[in-house]
Amino acid sequence: MQPRRPPPPAPGPRGPRPAALLLGLWLLLPLALQGLAAPAEPGWRQDAELPPGLLEQAARAALHFFNFRVGSPSALRALAAVQEGRARINPKTGYRVDLVFTTELYNPEEGQERLGKCSAQVFFRNQKPRPTINVTCTRLIEKNKRQQEDYLLYKRMKQLKSSLHAVSIPDSHGHIDPSLRPIWDLAFLGSSYVMWEKTSQFLHYYMAQLSSVKQWKTNDGAIDFDYTVLLHEFSTQEIIPCRVHLVWYPGKPLKVKYQCQELQTPEEASGTEGSAVAPQEFTNF
């Protein structure tokens, strides 16, 4: 008499067999990916035809935000090119833009071409400024070198006269004296916050000129100065003056306060204002 073959083990109480479980996960994977790709909020749809210039507008806004958050004049970046992007639209709220773009040093040395890449998600609310931004960039300059250059710029600023009145940077010929370059770079750093707050889907700004600068002496050794910046708004071609107060010390958070006088309508003559403190260290840098 042959011995009986033992029956196969019954499925355990925890569920199906591993093979069946893997098959189920494989079948559910496309659905999970679709869920990740789609926005969680209802009412969003993919925009097949992007509004002209929307990707470049989003990249500029992301860079203004990034420059302010880094808080280092030696790490300032300028937009090189947008590589790819897409937009989702919700007619009730606005545009959400996902994009990848390359950057370059704001003050590149002669013959130097150093590019970094950034990925960002930018949310433009309908007819509202100050887009919401999440941006991550590859390292463009080593931290130690950046700190050294920031300290050299700090020393140059401390050697300048304590009071500078009726200064036009750049001059009428578009030239910036090398001795005044630190002032321009720090002003650009502070103005990046102003330009980000004022940027919308349709409005973007460029720092055209500094019309006045006054540096203050401080007990803690920080660079503390007031300046008036003229911002060129490209869509309306208007020049908007903004008074900015900036406090900066290498390795410490950047502090910015500003007040701008809008020129569009009499109702806006009182202007806009804001203030912010950049974090100690930008983790995405």
Side-chain angles (χ1 to χ4, degrees), residues 90-252:
N90 186 326
K92 294 183 179 181
T93 57
Y95 275 92
R96 177 175 293 171
V97 185
D98 295 282
L99 74 159
V100 176
F101 56 93
T102 56
T103 65
E104 58 189 3
L105 287 171
Y106 181 69
N107 294 318
E109 298 177 3
E110 186 176 354
Q112 185 181 44
E113 295 183 3
R114 300 181 61 186
L115 299 180
K117 183 179 292 186
C118 299
S119 60
Q121 184 177 90
V122 181
F123 174 48
F124 291 108
R125 294 174 295 167
N126 285 335
Q127 310 299 325
K128 297 286 185 68
R130 200 177 188 268
T132 302
I133 294 173
N134 184 15
V135 57
T136 302
C137 294
T138 57
R139 194 179 301 273
L140 187 66
I141 182 172
E142 292 297 330
K143 182 178 180 179
N144 290 339
K145 184 177 181 181
R146 170 165 56 98
Q147 291 175 337
Q148 292 175 0
E149 293 183 359
D150 281 350
Y151 186 70
L152 290 176
L153 185 145
Y154 169 80
K155 291 178 62 177
R156 291 175 63 188
M157 284 291 295
K158 281 298 184 181
Q159 294 171 356
L160 294 175
K161 295 180 180 179
S162 59
S163 180
L164 297 172
H165 297 282
V167 174
S168 294
I169 310 173
D171 59 22
S172 58
H173 302 286
H175 175 70
I176 299 178
D177 189 279
S179 65
L180 299 178
R181 188 76 206 194
I183 293 179
W184 176 266
D185 289 348
L186 276 175
F188 187 89
L189 189 65
S191 300
S192 294
Y193 173 75
V194 182
M195 292 187 284
W196 162 58
E197 281 222 324
K198 296 180 68 61
T199 294
S200 70
Q201 177 187 338
F202 303 104
L203 301 177
H204 77 274
Y205 298 84
Y206 177 77
M207 192 171 115
Q209 190 179 55
L210 300 181
S211 60
S212 66
V213 177
K214 181 175 180 62
Q215 184 173 341
W216 303 93
K217 292 183 178 180
T218 61
N219 294 329
D220 58 1
I223 301 298
D224 187 327
F225 70 101
D226 295 314
Y227 62 93
T228 300
V229 61
L230 303 181
L231 299 181
H232 179 197
E233 200 293 297
F234 276 75
S235 300
T236 62
Q237 298 301 316
E238 290 184 346
I239 300 296
I240 300 176
C242 299
R243 293 181 59 86
V244 182
H245 181 80
L246 182 147
V247 179
W248 175 76
Y249 188 89
K252 292 187 178 181

